[in-house]
Amino acid sequence: MTHDVTNQPPPLTGYDVSSDRALLDGLTREGADWATGELRQLGLLAGGAKAQEWGRLANENPPVLRTHDRYGHRIDEVEFHPAWHELMAVAVAGGLHASPWTSARPGAHVARAAKFFTWSQVEAGHGCPISMTYAAVAALRHSPELRAEWEPLLASRTYDFGLRPAREKRGVLAGMAMTEKQGGSDVRANTTQAERLGDGTFAITGHKWFNSAPMCDVFLVLAQAPGGLSCFLLPRVLPDGSRNAMRLMRLKDKLGNKSNASAEVEYEGAIAFLVGEEGRGVRTIIEMVNMTRLDCVIGSAAGMRYGVAQAIHHARHRRAFGKPLVEQPLMRNVLADLALESEAATTLMMRLAGATDRAVRGDAAEGMFRRTALAAAKYWICKRAPVHAAESLECLGGNGYVEESQMPRLFRDSPLNGIWEGSGNIAALDVFRAIVKEPETLDAFFEEVELAKGSDGRLDSGIYRAKDFLAGASSAELGARRVVEHLAIVLQASLLVRHGDAAVADAFCASRLGDDRGYAFGALPSGLDLTPIIDRAAPGAA
């Protein structure tokens, strides 16, 4: 025999992805434990070989743009592998998109966040249209007539792919188009024009440089109207069945997010409907952006959870130097550190989902807390995702660098949530914008953080330091990243001290707020109890 395979870990399959103690604790704490059964069902599907194969196939067979049919007619359609449609059908049927908006049950947005977190670990790319559909409803609430027409279709749990008039469909998906070549995040530099027509609609002429998920049924678009930059609802198919003049020029060739189409788009007098007030487009669409920012946090937290689960699984089954990797002291330090980062991200994500749910239902205090905390979390958790993915990949050694492990896909996908909905600088400056324009949001932030005051001296020192940073900032913009990073870490520490496992909270405060802290993962100080941290993070352990 020349080929006897030994000491190779089995595939991580046939487990419950939702069996995550931080996730399940958050589900109960934030008022959605009624969704545990549905979450478990989704988690078992996510941990199965069938769903994992869907994720692989959707990425290895990316979407293809068909601009014309065989006879030369313009069709502007995107073709997807059947695996993509399987992933989408599960997500829509599970209510991972806009279904919470039509639910009167408290905790509906929390349940949806937990499901999105769980199913995103199968494949991240298809989460883009799911997220935008979720977020679109928030913006449409500025226009009651449009909301009444579109919300039932957006919230439908039936996945009905294909370009047809909305009245002929059982469910629709929504996208968003803001970015132009010359502007990027500076949307006020947009040049796309909106001309008012006699019937009250508008004709949109111009372009968008990035339009994610261009196969969606309807889009929220920013354009310059006579009254200023405004938000519009632009359907792909008009009521008479004709294609709207939205031209897909080409699909982007991206680093990651391969399963999801991203297009360059041109409008040639496309028909659209005003959403909200003319000239207040940014204020209108920011409601959508806040929701997709939450999903950026959820998506990054999901990637961390997937990475550490794979790393611990590998270390438990792989032997080196006479014993399993998971028993090697330095590897244990790395695994525990990765687990800390993952659990802190998940705990904060669930707290923000709870704040969103309560704010949507009229809780002003939760809305103020969310205003600052969400922007800080968007900055920090999305920044940590790429380095976490790299370290998780390295735990698998050379196997982690091979495409079959799916870890390269995790690594390629990991920077994207930091770019979507405002890159790092935009998110950090948004925290400062809130502090200056809405100082009560900072008060709400510290009220939350100080609920743990007196429980851990390192956290107390971190809170004082955060206030010193804010009080002594001679140049707010220059130092924004440092301050926002610290705010996010202090908030995570407070949540873990109040709600988390004692060993996790102790290690997090020691390594993130203590004096003896390193910079790379695996530099936890000595004297910490790492066993419960690793055991909590092991896949399927709950």
Side-chain angles (χ1 to χ4, degrees):
M1 292 182 66
T2 61
H3 187 73
D4 188 13
V5 179
T6 62
N7 199 25
Q8 288 289 332
L12 177 52
T13 189
Y15 75 107
D16 181 358
V17 175
S18 73
S19 290
D20 176 339
R21 294 185 183 183
L23 178 69
L24 295 175
D25 288 349
L27 192 73
T28 299
R29 187 170 57 250
E30 300 299 336
D33 55 348
W34 50 264
T36 302
E38 288 184 26
L39 180 63
R40 292 284 199 183
Q41 185 177 8
L42 186 66
L44 288 169
L45 181 59
K50 180 170 65 174
Q52 292 173 3
E53 182 69 356
W54 290 341
R56 181 186 72 81
L57 289 171
N59 278 270
E60 293 185 4
N61 299 275
V64 176
L65 174 61
R66 304 295 185 194
T67 57
H68 296 76
D69 67 12
R70 60 184 291 192
Y71 303 107
H73 301 116
R74 186 96 197 201
I75 57 174
D76 295 291
E77 292 191 353
V78 184
E79 293 181 358
F80 290 86
H81 189 274
W84 165 273
H85 296 299
E86 297 282 5
L87 293 166
M88 290 292 294
V90 171
V92 172
L96 278 63
H97 59 318
S99 62
W101 295 103
T102 58
S103 173
R105 194 165 196 175
H109 292 268
V110 177
R112 180 259 169 196
K115 292 178 183 178
F116 190 76
F117 173 89
T118 298
W119 191 240
S120 292
Q121 293 177 57
V122 176
E123 200 283 319
H126 79 288
C128 175
I130 295 296
S131 176
M132 291 191 295
T133 302
Y134 169 62
V137 177
L140 286 180
R141 295 195 165 195
H142 287 274
S143 294
E145 290 185 7
L146 290 175
R147 174 190 174 185
E149 178 183 356
W150 288 94
E151 187 175 288
L153 286 169
L154 291 166
S156 168
R157 292 201 180 199
T158 300
Y159 176 59
D160 191 359
F161 184 80
L163 294 179
R164 301 188 303 281
R167 65 174 180 272
E168 298 178 10
K169 302 198 69 175
R170 295 171 295 163
V172 300
L173 297 173
M176 175 172 56
M178 294 194 294
T179 306
E180 298 185 7
K181 299 183 186 74
Q182 74 288 341
S185 296
D186 183 10
V187 295
R188 296 192 183 279
N190 284 4
T191 60
T192 295
Q193 298 294 310
E195 177 187 359
R196 186 184 295 276
L197 302 177
D199 60 359
T201 62
F202 287 76
I204 308 296
T205 302
H207 80 280
K208 296 296 173 184
W209 189 229
F210 280 93
N211 187 324
S212 293
M215 72 292 171
C216 287
D217 300 280
V218 65
F219 295 87
L220 290 178
V221 176
L222 288 180
Q224 299 286 358
L229 189 64
S230 304
C231 180
F232 297 91
L233 184 78
L234 191 152
R236 286 292 312 277
V237 180
L238 298 174
D240 64 3
S242 62
R243 302 290 175 90
N244 208 353
M246 172 180 166
R247 311 303 186 200
L248 308 187
M249 306 309 292
R250 63 172 177 168
L251 300 185
K252 299 286 192 180
D253 186 7
K254 300 170 292 185
L255 168 68
N257 197 243
K258 295 288 189 179
S259 69
N260 180 45
S262 299
E264 295 170 20
V265 173
E266 293 185 4
Y267 308 109
E268 301 175 358
I271 302 301
F273 304 85
L274 180 66
V275 180
E277 297 179 41
E278 190 172 337
R280 297 176 68 84
V282 173
R283 181 175 291 274
T284 300
I285 210 166
I286 202 68
E287 299 291 340
M288 185 176 187
V289 170
N290 279 332
M291 294 299 169
T292 45
R293 278 186 176 179
L294 173 62
D295 280 2
C296 288
V297 174
I298 298 172
S300 290
M304 291 187 202
R305 174 61 188 155
Y306 178 85
V308 73
Q310 292 288 341
I312 293 175
H313 175 76
H314 178 88
R316 282 184 159 185
H317 290 87
R318 179 80 165 177
R319 296 181 65 86
F321 309 109
K323 57 184 177 182
L325 279 176
V326 75
E327 295 179 11
Q328 304 284 359
L330 191 52
M331 178 58 82
R332 291 176 61 76
N333 196 312
V334 172
L335 294 174
D337 210 356
L338 290 171
L340 289 178
E341 197 70 36
S342 173
E343 183 152 346
T346 302
T347 302
L348 177 51
M349 172 269 289
M350 291 299 284
R351 176 66 184 93
L352 290 171
T356 297
D357 192 84
R358 290 182 281 276
V360 165
R361 299 176 194 282
D363 190 326
E366 286 288 86
M368 286 190 293
F369 162 72
R370 176 177 173 271
R371 173 66 182 90
T372 303
L374 178 57
K378 163 65 168 74
Y379 169 78
W380 181 238
I381 292 179
C382 295
K383 276 279 174 279
R384 296 297 281 167
V387 291
H388 192 279
E391 194 70 54
S392 298
L393 182 155
E394 188 176 323
C395 289
L396 276 65
N399 287 335
Y401 206 69
V402 174
E403 289 291 343
E404 290 173 327
S405 73
Q406 306 304 327
M407 297 299 279
R409 190 176 87 204
L410 173 69
F411 184 66
R412 288 193 299 270
D413 285 345
S414 62
L416 185 54
N417 283 313
I419 297 170
W420 266 339
E421 314 311 0
S423 57
N425 286 350
I426 298 297
L429 291 174
D430 194 36
V431 175
F432 275 76
R433 187 177 300 109
I435 291 171
V436 172
K437 294 186 175 181
E438 306 169 82
E440 64 275 11
T441 64
L442 184 61
D443 295 336
F445 178 91
F446 278 112
E447 285 176 13
E448 172 78 19
V449 168
E450 290 177 349
L451 290 174
K453 198 170 182 180
S455 302
D456 188 294
R458 296 160 299 192
L459 174 57
D460 290 347
S461 296
I463 294 171
Y464 295 137
R465 192 156 58 249
K467 292 182 176 180
D468 287 343
F469 280 158
L470 290 166
S474 57
S475 175
E477 183 170 337
L478 182 65
R481 284 191 172 213
R482 183 186 182 198
V483 175
V484 172
E485 170 185 318
H486 188 70
L487 289 175
I489 291 172
V490 165
L491 177 55
Q492 288 180 314
S494 174
L495 291 169
L496 290 175
V497 166
R498 287 152 51 204
H499 306 303
D501 177 81
V504 171
D506 179 43
F508 188 87
C509 289
S511 57
R512 273 64 172 174
L513 295 173
D515 294 329
D516 183 16
R517 58 185 184 272
Y519 293 95
F521 284 109
L524 296 176
S526 60
L528 298 173
D529 187 2
L530 304 185
T531 299
I533 300 172
I534 296 172
D535 288 347
R536 281 174 62 84

